[in-house]
Amino acid sequence: MSIPNRSQQRKDMVSLLERMGISDSRVLQAMGIVERHLFVPEFYRFQQHGDPYGDYPLPIGCDQTISQPFVVAYMLEKMKLIPGEKVLEIGTGSGYVAAVLDEMGVEVFTIEIIPELARRATQALSSRVHLLPGDGYSGWQEKAPFDAIIISCAPTEIPRILIGQLKENGRMILPVGKFSQRLVILKRKDGKIQLKEDLAVRFVPMVKSRK
Ligand code: SAH
């Protein structure tokens, strides 16, 4: 079996993202560096089972998936992130999005509800990334407010508590809906909330913890 050339695969993935319309150089650069294959289970690291750099989601165990590269790039680009900003991600999963955010030079806080995935992501991620095993519906009050909140799983409506954890000029992006979902982009400006519906997407549901 030939060993895949990972850096070439990343270059190809980034060129595809550019052709698909992604232009934020910080996002493209970070996705060109982060080793996506290390965030998928070993079974999927080789092409015969699915290419870790292909533009599709892949299973990561516990019935969850690592998001498709285009959707990751699209969501991060929409947040117009600047190095040094504080970002909360909900739904760490494999840790891939958190790793890209970390590579972009923002301060990353990420929450994962499935203990097994939280444990694995902790091992995969740099110690710079702050990971909280638990339910993201209540956000991370002690670390708030955030410049941006990115939700990697789909609630049926926008969790209000999270809006309260955004800074003035803060942004949030999340998929909303049960069967048919849309990305929603939310901005907090002059104390008011602006909402915009965007792409149709498909994410795993944001679940509520059973207490
Ligand atoms: N960004 C991840 C996507 C993982 S899929 C990646 O690139 O791998 C979404 C994740 O959201 C799953 O791991 C799921 O367990 C998690 N999740 C679902 N509901 C949640 C909640 N209420 N709080 C925190 N995480 C949640």
Side-chain angles (χ1 to χ4, degrees):
M1 189 165 54
S2 65
I3 297 172
N5 179 340
R6 299 303 190 188
S7 94
Q8 188 57 46
Q9 287 182 316
R10 277 196 293 283
K11 276 198 190 115
D12 294 344
M13 179 185 77
V14 168
S15 321
L16 177 66
L17 294 173
E18 284 180 295
R19 274 181 276 134
M20 291 173 90
I22 304 296
S23 61
D24 182 323
S25 57
R26 290 196 187 102
V27 173
L28 292 167
Q29 204 189 3
M31 289 183 73
I33 293 172
V34 174
E35 300 191 285
R36 184 172 164 92
H37 62 282
L38 301 181
F39 293 86
V40 307
E42 256 170 69
F43 181 78
Y44 294 105
R45 285 190 196 167
F46 297 96
Q47 250 133 348
Q48 65 267 39
H49 301 300
D51 174 1
Y53 291 92
D55 195 35
Y56 38 78
L58 283 171
I60 52 170
C62 310
D63 283 333
Q64 305 302 321
T65 52
I66 179 171
S67 310
Q68 172 190 355
F70 174 72
V71 175
V72 172
Y74 187 86
M75 289 174 80
L76 298 184
E77 171 164 277
K78 288 287 176 197
M79 291 295 91
K80 300 191 169 75
L81 297 169
I82 297 168
E85 285 190 317
K86 263 174 82 174
V87 180
L88 174 66
E89 187 215 6
I90 296 174
T92 318
S94 66
Y96 179 69
V97 169
V100 174
L101 285 166
D102 178 53
E103 187 60 47
M104 288 173 72
V106 298
E107 195 183 359
V108 190
F109 298 84
T110 182
I111 308 178
E112 171 55 52
I113 201 165
I114 300 179
E116 167 69 14
L117 293 179
R119 196 182 55 75
R120 275 198 258 146
T122 307
Q123 287 169 353
L125 287 165
S126 146
S127 58
R128 283 186 300 272
V129 173
H130 311 277
L131 194 152
L132 177 69
D135 184 355
Y137 270 104
S138 18
W140 199 335
Q141 188 57 51
E142 306 83 76
K143 305 291 183 185
F146 300 98
D147 295 286
I149 300 180
I150 295 160
I151 310 191
S152 295
C153 43
T156 49
E157 42 194 79
I158 303 171
R160 298 279 145 193
I161 295 182
L162 298 180
I163 301 177
Q165 296 186 8
L166 276 181
K167 285 188 191 171
E168 170 64 20
N169 289 320
R171 300 83 76 193
M172 176 151 112
I173 189 161
L174 69 160
V176 182
K178 200 165 186 182
F179 300 109
S180 97
Q181 301 166 1
R182 281 206 170 263
L183 280 181
V184 173
I185 299 169
L186 182 153
K187 286 186 187 145
R188 185 180 183 141
K189 204 154 194 255
D190 304 322
K192 294 203 185 75
I193 303 299
Q194 300 171 352
L195 280 182
K196 206 176 107 213
E197 279 208 357
D198 207 89
L199 288 190
V201 285
R202 205 182 161 85
F203 275 80
V204 298
M206 181 164 177
V207 296
K208 291 212 163 78
S209 63
R210 284 166 289 180
K211 281 194 186 133

